[in-house]
Amino acid sequence: MSFAALQKNIIEKKNPTVAGLDARIEYVPQPIIDKYVAQYGETRKAAAEAIFEFNCGLIDALCDIVPAVKPQAAYYELLGWEGVEMMERTINYAKEKGMYVIADIKRGDIGATASAYAEGWLGKSKVGSALIPCFDADCVTVNGYMGADAVNPFLKIANEEDKTLFALVRTSNPSAVDLQDLTIGDQKIYEVMGDLVAKWGEGFEDEYGYNRVGAVIGATWPEQLAEMRAALPHTFFLVPGYGAQGGTAQDVKFAFDEKGHGAIVNSSRGIMCAWKKTGKDGADYQEAARNEAIKMRDAITAITPIQE
């Protein structure tokens, strides 16, 4: 689905946020872990099944108020093939519940390897005469700092499958300045990358005016958010860094256009681990996650209302 589908979901729910599913076993309430350890022992299988139940519970609690989820592949790969298989199940479950799925994979390879990543995450694998969907995410994150060779294979599949991608532009981590703030001519490197993102996305605009290639720009850089919003009017933004990394509703307001469109703000641990603050040992993890998601939504939309 293009970014129009995501924007429609945001407007419908009046909520420009995405819940990150950074699924570490220590984020899961102990009773869920104990149930699967009793069945499978202290194994990757037990951890994967515990996390899957936790993910499904979070999705059930959030799907009517949060438009999207963002599973981060690293946490699933941490559990080997069992974790990767569980990520596929998580994606399928979220899509069944009507959520837009951003697979946070940050791939950045080239040529045939990039094509294989793109086909696996956004497209289909060919087996004989059959074309079989694999992860079938709606969107992926990519690292375009190797240039167009790292992005074009994803864009090709995105065009074929009506899907999208977010390319890293100005990331939320403190050491981003080591590279992204360096100057080339009269531009910072992140500005050059922003220009490239706009170029890669040329030739397609959805009904809201956005192309298929979005930009990752961290909430921890509000001045750059405002600067890039002005420079990239047809680019959808994924904004990490809210909450645990220090970004606030006041910071992320700069990511949106005058209608409150064009961006989605991520929170991972803040939502997933909200139960750790209630003193109920996770028995209320769904309620806690929902309450935190509502709090985040209300904080952002109080400053940046979403228009139809």
Side-chain angles (χ1 to χ4, degrees):
M1 294 185 285
S2 71
F3 284 126
L6 176 58
Q7 186 63 66
K8 286 178 182 176
N9 213 359
I10 290 170
I11 291 170
E12 177 185 329
K13 293 178 171 59
K14 300 293 184 185
N15 187 356
T17 73
V18 52
L21 297 179
D22 296 356
R24 294 192 72 100
I25 190 64
E26 55 263 37
Y27 297 168
V28 179
Q30 194 62 44
I32 298 176
I33 298 171
D34 291 344
K35 177 169 67 173
Y36 290 101
V37 168
Q39 186 172 356
Y40 299 110
E42 292 182 333
T43 61
R44 295 196 313 245
K45 173 69 171 176
E49 292 303 324
I51 290 169
F52 182 65
E53 179 176 325
F54 182 55
N55 283 350
C56 290
L58 291 170
I59 290 166
D60 288 343
L62 299 172
C63 63
D64 65 322
I65 59 169
V66 176
V69 291
K70 184 176 70 65
Q72 164 46 258
Y75 297 100
Y76 299 83
E77 293 169 6
L78 181 64
L79 294 174
W81 71 263
E82 294 96 338
V84 175
E85 186 265 349
M86 184 262 292
M87 183 172 183
E88 181 181 355
R89 285 191 283 150
T90 295
I91 290 171
N92 290 340
Y93 191 77
K95 291 179 71 172
E96 288 171 7
K97 293 292 184 174
M99 303 183 89
Y100 196 91
V101 178
I102 303 166
D104 194 354
I105 62 173
K106 294 188 180 71
R107 299 301 194 257
D109 217 317
I110 60 172
T113 305
S115 294
Y117 280 135
E119 291 163 16
W121 285 98
L122 294 177
K124 299 178 178 68
S125 293
K126 189 172 183 179
V127 182
S129 60
L131 290 173
I132 304 170
C134 295
F135 292 100
D136 201 24
D138 298 308
C139 179
V140 294
T141 58
V142 298
N143 186 342
Y145 276 92
M146 288 180 74
D149 291 336
V151 174
N152 284 340
F154 286 92
L155 186 55
K156 176 180 181 293
I157 300 300
N159 283 325
E160 292 174 358
E161 301 288 341
D162 192 24
K163 295 187 177 183
T164 57
L165 50 141
F166 284 110
L168 301 181
V169 173
R170 186 68 165 94
T171 56
S172 58
N173 56 301
S175 66
V177 299
D178 294 349
L179 173 66
Q180 295 167 24
D181 273 12
L182 298 181
T183 300
I184 300 176
D186 59 353
Q187 285 186 298
K188 298 289 182 67
I189 286 178
Y190 71 82
E191 294 175 314
V192 175
M193 180 56 70
D195 290 345
L196 286 172
V197 165
K199 180 181 178 181
W200 293 331
E202 287 177 350
F204 171 85
E205 289 182 17
D206 63 29
E207 62 192 88
Y208 293 98
Y210 297 105
N211 59 47
R212 293 197 189 280
V213 187
V216 179
I217 303 181
T220 49
W221 311 107
E223 291 182 9
Q224 286 82 2
L225 266 176
E227 171 193 333
M228 300 309 289
R229 179 75 285 159
L232 304 173
H234 301 296
T235 302
F236 210 96
F237 287 2
L238 171 61
V239 186
Y242 184 93
Q245 292 182 22
T248 67
Q250 188 66 35
D251 295 328
V252 302
K253 71 178 183 181
F254 300 108
F256 300 94
D257 67 16
E258 66 279 0
K259 291 185 177 181
H261 294 181
I264 192 162
V265 182
N266 179 75
S267 176
S268 299
R269 284 170 290 168
I271 291 174
M272 293 185 72
C273 298
W275 64 268
K276 293 191 175 185
K277 300 178 181 179
T278 66
K280 297 181 180 179
D281 297 325
D284 62 339
Y285 81 91
Q286 290 177 291
E287 178 185 1
R290 185 180 179 88
N291 289 342
E292 185 65 27
I294 290 171
K295 179 181 175 183
M296 179 183 177
R297 176 199 67 190
D298 292 350
I300 292 172
T301 57
I303 295 173
T304 310
I306 301 170
Q307 300 177 30
E308 295 291 337

